[in-house]
């Protein structure tokens, strides 16, 4: 379990570009994309390298690292493979690590959010030529936990539109229309189109 030691505003946060600089050789960099490449109070990216990744969007990261995936990431990996993607990437609406969403920042750290959006641009730009970025909405009802999360998602939607992202979901949406979290989905669950624009109007 990861419980933040303090609000992220009190933590020295690397910019995304700074976090791309290698510092750790404990995992296979040809296989994994992990930014920062060491355990910190925040995480921008975690996943495998490929030209056609399934980019899964959660709310915030927990403890997972290369070769040490939690149950959520194991499910993401299975569903990506089952839907014909050659890799998966876990991205989050907010980059602060917290196993329990209740422990997330009460107020949005704008600097952390800005660098997280830089990370999202990077992810979308790395998708291979000929592929539209496949972005899997998978945050569940947790988006209701903090009032700043919908605006963070709107910023992501605007960036996604610049790159021609196609939004997907898997499993049954909640009564309020929130897309299903990756846990408790069948390993052969098919992804399908998700109307992000209409969803954002409900937040």
């Amino acid at each position: 379990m990861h419980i933040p030691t303090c609000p992220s505003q009190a933590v020295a946060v690397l910019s995304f570009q700074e976090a791309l600089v290698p510092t750790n050789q404990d995992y296979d960099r040809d296989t994994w994309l992990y930014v920062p490449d060491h355990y910190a109070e925040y995480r921008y990216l975690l996943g495998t390298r490929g030209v056609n990744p399934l980019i899964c969007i959660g709310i915030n990261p927990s403890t997972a690292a290369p070769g040490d995936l939690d149950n959520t990431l194991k499910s993401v990996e299975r569903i990506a493979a089952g839907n014909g993607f050659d890799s998966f990437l876990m991205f989050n609406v907010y980059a602060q690590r917290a196993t329990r969403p209740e422990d997330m920042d009460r107020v949005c750290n704008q600097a952390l959010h800005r660098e997280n959006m830089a990370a999202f641009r990077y992810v979308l730009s790395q998708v291979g030529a000929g592929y539209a970025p496949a972005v899997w909405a998978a945050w569940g009802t947790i988006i209701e936990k903090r009032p700043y999360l919908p605006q963070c998602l709107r910023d992501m939607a605007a960036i996604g539109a610049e790159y021609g992202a196609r939004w997907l979901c898997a499993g049954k949406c909640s009564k309020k229309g929130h897309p299903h979290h990756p846990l408790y989905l069948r390993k052969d669950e098919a992804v399908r189109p998700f109307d992000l624009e209409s969803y954002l109007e409900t937040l």
Side-chain angles (χ1 to χ4, degrees):
M1 177 173 289
H2 184 95
I3 300 174
T5 57
C6 59
S8 68
Q9 288 86 345
V11 175
V13 173
L14 293 172
S15 71
F16 177 68
Q17 288 300 320
E18 291 171 333
L20 280 174
V21 177
T23 66
N24 180 7
Q25 302 299 325
D26 292 341
Y27 65 93
D28 181 0
R29 290 180 173 277
D30 292 332
T31 299
W32 292 96
L33 182 62
Y34 183 41
V35 187
D37 67 356
H38 53 273
Y39 198 89
E41 288 286 315
Y42 58 96
R43 189 187 76 212
Y44 296 126
L45 300 174
L46 173 60
T48 52
R49 296 182 183 273
V51 297
N52 183 29
L54 179 58
I55 305 165
C56 181
I57 311 297
I59 288 296
N60 70 308
S62 184
T63 60
D68 186 20
L69 301 183
D70 57 22
N71 288 335
T72 295
L73 268 292
K74 290 176 182 176
S75 181
V76 171
E77 184 177 41
R78 287 193 299 267
I79 290 173
N83 281 272
F85 295 92
D86 68 355
S87 53
F88 74 92
L89 285 170
M90 190 73 210
F91 188 81
N92 292 278
V93 176
Y94 196 64
Q96 182 191 30
R97 283 191 197 261
T99 301
R100 299 179 307 193
E102 293 79 6
D103 294 326
M104 292 171 61
D105 287 335
R106 295 287 175 182
V107 176
C108 181
N109 181 339
Q110 292 295 336
L112 182 62
H113 173 59
R114 182 178 61 250
E115 297 307 324
N116 200 40
M117 294 302 96
F120 191 50
R121 285 185 179 277
Y122 176 85
V123 167
L124 298 179
S125 72
Q126 296 301 299
V127 174
Y131 294 101
V135 185
W136 174 14
W139 47 80
T141 61
I142 304 171
I143 198 165
E144 298 180 3
K145 292 290 185 180
R146 292 290 183 267
Y148 56 80
L149 293 171
Q151 184 55 52
C152 292
L153 179 59
R154 290 186 180 96
D155 292 344
M156 289 179 61
I159 294 170
E162 294 177 26
Y163 288 85
R166 56 190 181 101
W167 288 81
L168 308 167
C169 65
K172 185 178 180 181
C173 292
S174 75
K175 290 182 179 179
K176 293 185 178 181
H178 300 310
H180 201 292
H181 190 275
L183 281 178
Y184 312 121
L185 292 175
R186 301 190 320 270
K187 64 181 181 180
D188 61 346
E189 190 79 51
V191 295
R192 65 182 191 278
F194 180 69
D195 187 348
L196 180 67
E197 185 175 347
S198 294
Y199 170 76
L200 288 173
E201 292 176 358
T202 70
L203 292 181

